[in-house]
Amino acid sequence: GNSVTQMEGPVTLSEEAFLTINCTYTATGYPSLFWYVQYPGEGLQLLLKATKADDKGSNKGFEATYRKETTSFHLEKGSVQVSDSAVYFCALLNNQGGKLIFGQGTELSVKP
Amino acid sequence: NAGVTQTPKFRILKIGQSMTLQCTQDMNHNYMYWYRQDPGMGLKLIYYSVGAGITDKGEVPNGYNVSRSTTEDFPLRLELAAPSQTSVYFCASGRRGIETQYFGPGTRLLVL
């Protein structure tokens, strides 16, 4: 079946450090891929998405490229800020009823 | 435009009690979803609906019921609360099944 695997957290970085959060997936067909972010005490917000192979999603300095050959969608940011501290979820959307399959989430803590 | 709203924000239930978690969206979305989020885990789909009058089970439906009498509302019913239902519940909506889902702020439920 479809599944998403993320690197385990928590990830602790200093401000302005480079961020990578790994995400790999297993899916039949050609799913869409998403990164959602959950700030403390809030619901999930869409951060970025990619709908086909080699697409790059980007938003707020974050980027992720849909790599079909490695079944990956790693999240990157060149210089993190304290305000980026949150839990990040990788997810895939199959084309059967629009069901999102989530990874377990990766907590990011950025220290000043 | 309020987006997706959920009530209550927090509730404590005793084992065996029942309650309804409310979810309303004002974006005229056809698709609506209920997820639960357990600590350190990703979100699991409980039930979803592709339109008024149509509902279907997700990955973890046992112990829950839903109804969809209008496009806007998608309440989740717990009939006999159990400690295993202690979780954070998120409602989400989307225009179509293959498009971005928008999440509510969540309801934190504690069953003692």
Side-chain angles (χ1 to χ4, degrees):
Chain A
N2 297 336
S3 66
V4 175
T5 303
Q6 291 179 233
M7 65 185 285
E8 288 198 19
V11 174
T12 302
L13 295 174
S14 297
E15 209 165 20
E16 299 184 2
F18 185 86
L19 169 71
T20 299
I21 300 178
N22 290 337
C23 171
T24 57
Y25 68 91
T26 302
T28 53
Y30 303 95
S32 296
L33 300 173
F34 301 78
W35 277 101
Y36 279 85
V37 58
Q38 184 180 29
Y39 298 103
E42 299 184 9
L44 279 70
Q45 303 174 25
L46 177 67
L47 181 59
L48 54 84
K49 69 178 182 180
T51 58
K52 60 182 186 297
D54 299 326
D55 267 2
K56 178 186 282 188
S58 61
N59 186 25
K60 299 181 180 180
F62 291 89
E63 293 183 339
T65 301
Y66 189 152
R67 301 284 188 203
K68 190 171 185 299
E69 65 276 12
T70 54
T71 61
S72 65
F73 193 54
H74 304 322
L75 182 68
E76 296 182 337
K77 186 175 185 182
S79 176
V80 294
Q81 306 300 311
V82 173
S83 57
D84 293 327
S85 297
V87 181
Y88 292 81
F89 291 93
C90 185
L92 71 82
L93 182 67
N94 67 28
N95 293 323
Q96 300 160 355
K99 299 174 190 176
L100 272 173
I101 309 295
F102 286 89
Q104 77 272 29
T106 302
E107 182 180 358
L108 170 66
S109 178
V110 181
K111 306 297 185 186
Chain B
N1 193 334
V4 180
T5 57
Q6 293 183 238
T7 56
K9 289 186 178 180
F10 175 67
R11 181 79 182 267
I12 299 174
L13 280 183
K14 294 182 179 178
I15 296 171
Q17 285 185 320
S18 61
M19 77 165 292
T20 298
L21 283 67
Q22 301 292 344
C23 175
T24 299
Q25 54 92 6
D26 62 359
M27 297 174 281
N28 201 33
H29 287 165
N30 286 324
Y31 286 70
M32 295 188 74
Y33 308 83
W34 274 106
Y35 296 89
R36 58 176 288 171
Q37 182 184 28
D38 299 318
M41 306 288 288
L43 279 69
K44 304 277 188 192
L45 182 65
I46 304 171
Y47 269 96
Y48 68 102
S49 169
V50 303
I54 306 170
T55 62
D56 207 348
K57 296 178 181 179
E59 186 180 357
V60 290
N62 291 344
Y64 307 95
N65 278 300
V66 294
S67 60
R68 184 93 183 272
S69 56
T70 66
T71 299
E72 295 78 18
D73 300 307
F74 190 41
L76 178 71
R77 179 83 178 161
L78 283 71
E79 291 294 349
L80 292 170
S84 61
Q85 293 177 305
T86 292
S87 189
V88 181
Y89 292 83
F90 289 101
C91 179
S93 72
R95 193 164 64 92
R96 292 187 300 164
I98 58 172
E99 293 189 357
T100 300
Q101 293 182 19
Y102 296 87
F103 285 77
T107 294
R108 184 176 298 274
L109 177 66
L110 181 59
V111 182
L112 300 174

